Amino acid sequence: MEIADGLLPGGRGGPAAAAGSAASAADGSIPPRRLTVLSGPSGVGKSTVVAEIRRAHPGVWLSVSVTTRAPRPGEIHGVHYFFVDDAEFDRLVEEEELLEWAEFAGNRYGTPRRAVLEHLAAGVPALLEIDLQGARQVRTAMPEAQLVFLGPPSWEELVRRLVGRGTEPPDVIERRLSAARSELAAEKEFDVTLVNTSVKDVCRELIALLAVHPSDSD
Ligand code: 5GP
């Protein structure tokens, strides 16, 4: 399936819609925005934070990733992800249409490059929610990007979230915990850490980091 149509202008609050409310430079042009990347260990609550941003701050443009994983109930093509097959993902990689991409738990995920660049150029704050491998690639491709690490309130809390109801076999739990240990060690590669004590607090801090113009985020 082709996804190109869905990428221009891309999602809610596209460049044309939002450019009018972005801060203007003295010469009347709109200054480009810095890209912000939200990442962190799996289980830390990134997707809950993003869902709250989507709900409470529609002026923030969230990049819609491409993935080869199947949609979960309630997920909408073009809103939560662009769901594509392996052949289409291969094409996007080959044609260098992805700013970054990574394999996670047996599926591939990537950020469409063009939509990100267009929104930044139009002065629209843009946010990516991606895994650590992707955050590292963005660091290389766009050194000026702001990398935000979402951390758990404590190691015990992360363990509680990863272990869940304790229905997983011990070796699976041990693998998850060992992955979490190395994921937490990545914090030092990031510009800022936000601790996920409350979703509302994290969103407020994230919005401040995006330096959203008040009229962008009502
Ligand atoms: P899920 O399948 O639960 O929606 O996402 C699994 C993981 O993939 C999460 O850690 C999420 O941050 C990450 N992810 C989502 N989109 C992208 C993307 O475009 N690039 C990368 N590198 N990771 C992504």
Side-chain angles (χ1 to χ4, degrees):
M1 179 193 337
E2 287 283 334
I3 61 163
D5 286 352
L7 303 182
L8 274 172
R12 294 153 57 158
S21 61
S24 293
D27 66 358
S29 67
I30 295 164
R33 294 272 186 161
R34 190 157 73 134
L35 178 64
T36 302
V37 175
L38 181 69
S39 193
S42 53
V44 80
K46 295 184 300 263
S47 53
T48 314
V49 168
V50 163
E52 176 62 12
I53 296 270
R54 206 188 289 281
R55 189 195 66 78
H57 301 278
V60 173
W61 180 74
L62 278 157
S63 164
V64 180
S65 296
V66 182
T67 183
T68 57
R69 101 157 150 65
R72 296 185 185 129
E75 285 184 334
I76 300 164
H77 181 81
V79 174
H80 299 98
Y81 283 106
F82 293 106
F83 297 99
V84 300
D85 59 18
D86 273 319
E88 174 64 0
F89 202 99
D90 287 344
R91 185 191 71 76
L92 293 168
V93 171
E94 259 161 44
E95 296 184 9
E96 299 185 357
E97 288 196 26
L98 302 179
L99 179 62
E100 60 73 36
W101 69 272
E103 193 163 327
F104 183 94
N107 294 301
R108 288 184 292 170
Y109 298 80
T111 302
R113 181 197 306 276
R114 191 162 34 136
V116 169
L117 298 182
E118 284 177 356
H119 282 80
L120 295 176
V124 179
L127 181 62
L128 308 187
E129 183 256 298
I130 58 178
D131 82 331
L132 291 166
Q133 310 166 70
R136 290 184 177 120
Q137 291 174 47
V138 172
R139 171 64 91 213
T140 306
M142 298 175 77
E144 71 283 9
Q146 164 170 247
L147 264 54
V148 180
F149 187 87
L150 187 64
S154 65
W155 169 250
E156 289 72 26
E157 176 60 19
L158 187 62
V159 170
R160 200 181 61 73
R161 291 184 194 180
L162 287 170
V163 171
R165 286 171 300 171
T167 47
E168 307 280 359
D171 61 317
V172 172
I173 290 177
E174 193 32 62
R175 239 183 299 145
R176 284 192 193 180
L177 295 183
S178 124
R181 270 187 287 271
S182 59
E183 287 172 348
L184 280 180
E187 179 183 348
K188 55 184 180 304
E189 300 167 39
F190 283 68
D191 300 308
V192 189
T193 294
L194 299 180
V195 178
N196 196 6
T197 41
S198 113
V199 172
K200 286 228 153 52
D201 287 350
V202 168
C203 285
R204 197 168 21 81
E205 291 160 356
L206 195 53
I207 292 298
L209 288 172
L210 285 159
V212 174
H213 191 270
S215 59
D216 284 350
S217 60
D218 47 4

